[in-house]
Amino acid sequence: EADIYQTPRYLVIGTGKKITLECSQTMGHDKMYWYQQDPGMELHLIHYSYGVNSTEKGDLSSESTVSRIRTEHFPLTLESARPSHTSQYLCASSELGGTHFYGYTFGSGTRLTVV
Amino acid sequence: SQQGEEDPQALSIQEGENATMNCSYKTSINNLQWYRQNSGRGLVHLILIRSNEREKHSGRLRVTLDTSKKSSSLLITASRAADTASYFCATGFGNEKLTFGTGTRLTIIP
């Protein structure tokens, strides 16, 4: 079973609301990532972190923000949700790179709908 | 910018047949990975091949990598209905920030 957990699984929310998507992992991975994926489409990296107090923006510009106060926790926040934010958000984590890199572990995703 | 592109975009085969999908990428890599995604779910890591490897096997999966052509293929042998999913290749270099391809949607017909 996955050792990375995302909540909620589904979220329908009104325009202008503030939301936080939760992501936690129990594997002690230093690296964590947020991807955005529209149905049937490719994944786009929106945020990543290489450790506590380290966060970077990804390749796709996003109005969301992230924080990394604890190794296991990497929440994503939208201050004011809009219909254009409707998408699936996938959280992932990985170990160190180089020869110790064995790929990402993904959570089950949060499907966000903003109405 | 998107690094990898899978081909074909969609593939339907009969159960028991072999499925082959391809991935092309543009820049230097030190590893390439394949992931599976069931509808509406997260991705599951299938197999990783490093740039100094040419072929790798895992159960019914066989991956090849040709760095001179910047391409990889994923072969699933003796397909099953449970293999129905989207398959993505992902490439990494240096700090391992992966870039995913566009995906191949595989349908296994019982």
Side-chain angles (χ1 to χ4, degrees), chain A residues 34-54:
Chain A
W34 277 102
Y35 284 84
Q36 184 174 341
Q37 183 186 34
D38 291 324
M41 302 294 286
E42 60 207 68
L43 283 76
H44 292 284
L45 180 67
I46 52 175
H47 298 283
Y48 62 99
S49 167
Y50 286 167
V52 171
N53 295 325
S54 156

Side-chain angles (χ1 to χ4, degrees), chain A residues 3 8 11 14 25 29 31 44 46 49 51 75 79 81 91 101 106:
Chain A
D3 295 310
L11 179 62
Q25 50 99 2
H29 287 170
K31 298 183 177 181
H44 292 284
I46 52 175
S49 167
E79 290 292 334
C91 182
F101 179 65
F106 277 86

